[in-house]
Amino acid sequence: MILDSYKLNSVTFQISYEGAFVLWDRAGEIARRLCKIWPDLKLVRGTPDKQILKCRDVNIQTSFERATVTLRGEKSLSQGRIRQLGDTFEVWRELLELTKMSRVSTFSSYVREFSSIKEANSELIGLSMVRWPEQKIFDQPLDSESNSLEVFYRFEDKESFSTVRINAQQAIFTAELDPDFIDDSEIKKTKNRMFINFDRGMLGSVDAEKFRVDSWIKGYQHILRRDIEKLIGS
């Protein structure tokens, strides 16, 4: 299983719905109840149309038409986390008075680190999902470390969609520090990574009363692991 050699980078659970203007009146109660579900959560932004609560590895946003939970730093989506997601959904369903949703989706990002961007690109090209040229084209060298490849699949009908995006990228973090206190006044860190991102959702009209987060997540995980290697191999 190719995902076994990758690390879960983030998971986002999202629901969309028609304007829930009752958020104006119930923002405080929503925040209070979400903080009981996620004990370290703190309010970082509150505006008339959006509320953002965060702690180290959790970001929860509630707005008039959309609500999301993003988790980071998880080795896997544990039963405890799934229960917290389910409890969070019940807070939204009750306090935003949701009866129908126009979208329910989950996005997960898996990552693998490499010593160089060239190595990451070579791994991606080696999956043979597209034809890579064997000779110089467009007056560009084939062995440049800046070469890259991104593959995107989308499958959709009236009721649901699934997307897979595979790409390699180099991220550079730079921070300047006060030279009066730190001898090395600049910190620079580079990460070369390959990502496998999977997004799946239900479209149309989803009954909020009947929707169950645990069943949805279980089905999402099953479909991902069952079908991912039909696209990108082992």
Side-chain angles (χ1 to χ4, degrees), residues 105-152:
S105 64
T106 300
F107 171 88
S108 58
S109 178
Y110 291 81
V111 64
R112 181 177 172 187
E113 295 193 7
F114 294 85
S115 60
S116 67
I117 187 61
K118 186 174 182 179
E119 185 181 351
N121 280 324
S122 294
E123 178 75 14
L124 179 52
I125 293 168
L127 294 175
S128 301
M129 290 179 290
V130 299
R131 180 186 175 189
W132 190 259
E134 298 180 354
Q135 58 186 5
K136 186 175 182 179
I137 62 171
F138 307 127
D139 291 332
Q140 303 295 146
L142 294 182
D143 59 352
S144 170
E145 288 200 358
S146 298
N147 289 347
S148 64
L149 173 66
E150 181 171 328
V151 181
F152 180 76

Side-chain angles (χ1 to χ4, degrees), residues 8 10-15 38 69 71 76-87 89 92 104-108 110 198-202 211-225:
L8 183 61
S10 67
V11 178
T12 298
F13 171 71
Q14 174 181 308
I15 61 172
W38 309 87
V69 179
L71 306 176
S76 63
L77 203 53
S78 67
Q79 288 302 312
R81 285 302 200 206
I82 293 173
R83 281 194 296 271
Q84 287 175 297
L85 290 173
D87 292 343
F89 172 75
W92 290 332
V104 174
S105 64
T106 300
F107 171 88
S108 58
Y110 291 81
F198 179 59
D199 194 7
R200 177 169 171 79
M202 292 189 291
F211 179 75
R212 296 293 178 267
V213 170
D214 56 347
S215 297
W216 165 253
I217 296 294
K218 182 179 179 180
Y220 171 92
Q221 293 175 322
H222 169 72
I223 288 174
L224 171 59
R225 298 191 73 85

Side-chain angles (χ1 to χ4, degrees), residues 40-223:
D40 296 326
L41 215 58
K42 303 294 182 184
L43 179 67
V44 297
R45 179 186 172 194
T47 62
D49 64 335
K50 180 181 283 189
Q51 175 188 92
I52 301 177
L53 300 136
K54 287 185 179 181
C55 59
R56 181 177 178 180
D57 295 317
V58 182
N59 182 313
I60 301 180
Q61 301 189 24
T62 308
S63 65
F64 286 155
E65 297 180 340
R66 184 180 299 107
T68 64
V69 179
T70 298
L71 306 176
R72 296 184 180 277
E74 303 289 321
K75 292 184 178 179
S76 63
L77 203 53
S78 67
Q79 288 302 312
R81 285 302 200 206
I82 293 173
R83 281 194 296 271
Q84 287 175 297
L85 290 173
D87 292 343
T88 299
F89 172 75
E90 288 303 315
V91 170
W92 290 332
R93 185 189 61 77
E94 177 187 344
L95 296 182
L96 297 178
E97 300 179 359
L98 303 179
T99 57
K100 299 291 183 182
M101 298 177 290
S102 57
R103 169 178 166 144
V104 174
S105 64
T106 300
F107 171 88
S108 58
S109 178
Y110 291 81
V111 64
R112 181 177 172 187
E113 295 193 7
F114 294 85
S115 60
S116 67
I117 187 61
K118 186 174 182 179
E119 185 181 351
N121 280 324
S122 294
E123 178 75 14
L124 179 52
I125 293 168
L127 294 175
S128 301
M129 290 179 290
V130 299
R131 180 186 175 189
W132 190 259
E134 298 180 354
Q135 58 186 5
K136 186 175 182 179
I137 62 171
F138 307 127
D139 291 332
Q140 303 295 146
L142 294 182
D143 59 352
S144 170
E145 288 200 358
S146 298
N147 289 347
S148 64
L149 173 66
E150 181 171 328
V151 181
F152 180 76
Y153 296 91
R154 183 176 185 89
F155 308 93
E156 182 175 342
D157 57 26
K158 293 181 179 180
E159 297 180 351
S160 64
F161 71 91
S162 297
T163 71
V164 177
R165 185 186 299 274
I166 308 104
N167 70 300
Q169 65 174 236
Q170 182 180 78
I172 301 175
F173 172 80
T174 304
E176 293 186 2
L177 306 176
D178 191 332
D180 292 336
F181 294 92
I182 306 295
D183 292 336
D184 188 354
S185 61
E186 183 178 85
I187 296 176
K188 185 175 182 180
K189 186 173 179 62
T190 301
K191 285 191 173 185
N192 303 291
R193 300 176 290 183
M194 180 172 152
F195 288 89
I196 299 176
N197 299 326
F198 179 59
D199 194 7
R200 177 169 171 79
M202 292 189 291
L203 302 170
S205 181
V206 181
D207 191 327
E209 296 285 343
K210 296 180 179 179
F211 179 75
R212 296 293 178 267
V213 170
D214 56 347
S215 297
W216 165 253
I217 296 294
K218 182 179 179 180
Y220 171 92
Q221 293 175 322
H222 169 72
I223 288 174

